[in-house]
Amino acid sequence: MLLTVSTTHTPARDLGYLLHKHPDRVQQFTQSFGTATVFYPEATDERCTAALLLEVDPVRLARRRERTPDFSLAQYVNDRAYAASSLLGVALADVFSTARSGRCDSRQELADGPIPLEIVVPVLPCRGGPERAHRVFEPLGWQVVAEPIALDEGFPEWGESRYVSLRLTGTLRLADTLNQLHVLLPVLDDSKHYWQGSDEVDKLLRSGGSWLVGHPEREWITRRYLGRRGALARVALTRLAELGDDTEETLEPPDDEEAAQPEEARVPLNRQRHEAVLAVLRELQAARVIDLGCGTGSFLRALMDDPSFTGVAGVDVSASSLEIAARRLRLDRMGDRQRSRVELFQGALTYRDRRFEGYDAAVLMEVVEHVDPPRLPALVDVVFGHARPGAVVVTTPNVEYNVRYEGLEGPRHPDHRFEWTRAEFATWCHDVASAQGYDVELRGIGDDDPELGSPTQLAVFRHV
Ligand code: SAH
């Protein structure tokens, strides 16, 4: 089974740096079920293609005994060796694990941004056929060509197989692409070959955290990924909802019946965060606001709903999140006046960018904890030192409060690089404020526990 990744970003051979695999070498990686080989069928400065070839050893696969076959021969006679099954998703995650994390010491800027990419999977098991492939990949910003493969070309009357030949083209961040494939290959295959433990939820959130939240098919993807284990899927969907983003909101406005329902007694934390930050922005009388790390845009929507915000901008490093944000805001259907109020663009907060300048206030809502600590000073320099808005509003989890979340071990989200205590956050805030010429005030958001504090910490920086 084969998957290729190509780019025409020049110099295209930089793909080797991004994937952490040298274009002139053929490298093999032993997997528990076979051997993965990475090689480059082409590697010029104009176009470079990396191929991941997975050879499955049916005997080794059968010996793993993790899969309960319908009948014993099925252990040996199956499509595993030929089709880009869930095994390819596992191999890809393993072989390109550093690339998937978005780290690339020698070409970090390239790894942080979208580049033109083409992904080809000649034989992809895809239950639901080409239409399903379109529904899953298009919302992420891909142009999709999915050709059905006939069961047997010699007997067209037999119809189509459950395989498609897939070609994706788009301009995306490579790390996002690899994470999407890691989740979506097994989902489309619908035959995960290994046992689903509860750490699968973490794996899903780690790979899907940034793009799955606002995906219109997120429920279907989550259920399929977790092998239809309802309990795990519920945990995953709840944790997705607890993330920065507002998953409970659908892309459609609620119908009348739903709108007539009384408000739930317990307001979800993300809604409380939105309310708290909106209140601060109104207090500051900010008219032009930029949401830095806007994700899939649920806070942008709240900003757009208030006409006192005359200029609203959203920036994120993830092109697929922005794609979802654009749809959520219905950018293409906005009238000219509304459309001129809002701007969405791709950018990285660790690189100076003139487009971040000229705002009354900047919001960093649940973003700093996604940045590697050694890169935080760069973010501070870009936001406070160069963009220099009148105010900066930062929110981040209060790690002390985590003991209140039943069953939570480790951080609230697997992509969090750290979570701060109140004292740690206060130290960071005061250091930043005094170095950059801002005043800072600290508050909490949500339930205020006398010992642990609030679940979310809030800092308001004002330019002095
Ligand atoms: N602010 C949103 C999303 C929080 S999730 C909310 O509260 O709902 C964190 C977001 O930060 C993700 O969308 C991620 O893509 C973005 N992000 C992380 N590091 C970034 C960086 N260096 N530059 C720009 N965006 C970044």
Side-chain angles (χ1 to χ4, degrees):
M1 55 180 100
L2 182 71
L3 178 149
T4 62
V5 180
S6 309
T7 187
T8 50
H9 170 90
T10 46
R13 280 175 63 89
D14 277 357
L15 185 62
Y17 289 105
L18 294 179
L19 290 172
H20 298 257
K21 301 284 174 282
H22 198 289
D24 297 337
R25 258 183 249 142
V26 174
Q27 293 183 63
Q28 294 203 314
F29 304 86
T30 305
Q31 306 286 308
S32 60
F33 41 76
T35 306
T37 306
V38 178
F39 62 98
Y40 290 73
E42 57 182 340
T44 66
D45 280 345
E46 288 71 46
R47 188 180 161 89
C48 184
T49 297
L52 173 65
L53 175 74
L54 182 62
E55 284 163 292
V56 171
D57 176 348
V59 176
R60 264 201 287 179
L61 185 61
R63 289 213 179 111
R64 280 160 46 102
R65 281 206 268 139
E66 288 169 18
R67 190 166 187 246
T68 330
D70 311 336
F71 58 103
S72 54
L73 194 59
Q75 289 187 343
Y76 301 99
V77 184
N78 56 48
D79 69 355
R80 302 292 91 177
Y82 312 107
S85 65
S86 55
L87 296 174
L88 189 64
V90 174
L92 173 127
D94 176 50
V95 170
F96 299 128
S97 60
T98 316
R100 225 156 49 86
S101 76
R103 245 193 34 237
C104 180
D105 294 341
S106 54
R107 296 286 187 282
Q108 191 61 53
E109 199 160 347
L110 195 58
D112 284 344
I115 54 171
L117 288 171
E118 182 182 62
I119 308 296
V120 175
V121 188
V123 186
L124 171 77
C126 183
R127 290 184 196 261
E131 195 221 316
R132 179 54 79 179
H134 282 273
R135 277 170 52 188
V136 161
F137 286 107
E138 270 168 3
L140 299 169
W142 293 105
Q143 281 189 324
V144 179
V145 178
E147 307 272 3
I149 298 177
L151 259 183
D152 188 324
E153 282 169 11
F155 300 89
E157 66 278 14
W158 287 4
E160 279 150 15
S161 67
R162 65 183 186 88
Y163 303 95
V164 302
S165 160
L166 181 77
R167 178 184 302 270
L168 305 173
T169 39
T171 304
L172 278 90
R173 203 163 71 109
L174 184 63
D176 290 343
T177 304
L178 295 173
N179 282 316
Q180 291 165 9
L181 291 170
H182 175 223
V183 172
L184 295 174
L185 290 178
V187 159
L188 291 168
D189 184 8
D190 197 23
S191 111
K192 276 194 97 171
H193 57 283
Y194 52 84
W195 172 247
Q196 311 282 302
S198 53
D199 61 336
E200 288 296 304
V201 174
D202 275 344
K203 280 194 207 156
L204 177 66
L205 292 178
R206 202 172 302 129
S207 297
S210 65
W211 54 270
L212 190 56
V213 212
H215 196 297
E217 298 282 338
R218 71 175 164 270
E219 257 197 71
W220 182 85
I221 293 170
T222 302
R223 286 187 203 290
R224 273 277 187 101
Y225 185 87
L226 296 170
R228 299 203 177 80
R229 288 191 55 199
L232 284 187
R234 271 194 302 282
V235 171
L237 289 164
T238 312
R239 283 185 53 192
L240 275 172
E242 277 289 319
L243 289 184
D245 225 310
D246 204 346
T247 39
E248 293 131 315
E249 278 181 280
T250 55
L251 292 168
E252 301 303 322
D255 59 31
D256 290 340
E257 195 189 1
E258 219 177 292
Q261 302 272 324
E263 272 274 339
E264 254 198 43
R266 199 178 145 272
V267 183
L269 186 56
N270 52 348
R271 189 88 34 91
Q272 296 188 48
R273 245 185 328 252
H274 288 185
E275 287 307 323
V277 176
L278 284 171
V280 169
L281 293 172
R282 290 179 190 130
E283 212 176 286
L284 294 165
Q285 299 190 326
R288 292 177 46 76
V289 177
I290 183 164
D291 187 7
L292 302 170
C294 62
T296 51
S298 59
F299 187 62
L300 291 175
R301 198 156 87 172
L303 288 169
M304 289 300 286
D305 285 343
D306 181 339
S308 66
F309 301 114
T310 56
V312 171
V315 52
D316 204 282
V317 75
S318 156
S320 44
S321 295
L322 289 171
E323 194 87 26
I324 292 167
R327 244 175 330 114
R328 185 176 240 173
L329 291 168
R330 298 164 183 273
L331 279 196
D332 56 343
R333 279 184 260 163
M334 257 180 198
D336 290 347
R337 262 228 355 247
Q338 284 294 80
R339 186 66 193 82
S340 65
R341 265 178 78 206
V342 59
E343 200 185 337
L344 274 188
F345 59 91
Q346 202 272 342
L349 301 175
T350 41
Y351 298 93
R352 289 179 198 172
D353 194 326
R354 305 215 62 145
R355 294 172 301 175
F356 302 162
E357 293 173 17
Y359 290 91
D360 301 324
V363 175
L364 280 164
M365 191 187 286
E366 308 297 284
V367 171
V368 289
E369 66 276 8
H370 289 266
V371 177
D372 280 329
R375 298 178 39 84
L376 260 187
L379 179 143
V380 169
D381 177 64
V382 167
V383 175
F384 292 86
H386 288 271
R388 276 199 103 57
V392 183
V393 186
V394 181
T395 77
T396 192
N398 164 17
V399 71
E400 295 165 75
Y401 195 88
N402 284 8
V403 293
R404 284 295 202 86
Y405 293 112
E406 216 173 300
L408 176 73
E409 291 161 28
R412 289 188 205 173
H413 184 280
D415 188 51
H416 285 177
R417 310 303 158 99
F418 58 85
E419 284 174 351
W420 276 325
T421 62
R422 283 169 291 170
E424 285 164 338
F425 185 50
T427 305
W428 181 79
C429 288
H430 288 119
D431 288 350
V432 168
S434 68
Q436 302 288 342
Y438 281 75
D439 268 343
V440 65
E441 186 194 330
L442 295 166
R443 305 180 190 172
I445 301 175
D447 160 47
D448 188 9
D449 184 284
E451 272 166 44
L452 308 168
S454 301
T456 299
Q457 319 196 55
L458 171 86
V460 184
F461 294 83
R462 285 189 190 84
H463 202 297
V464 287

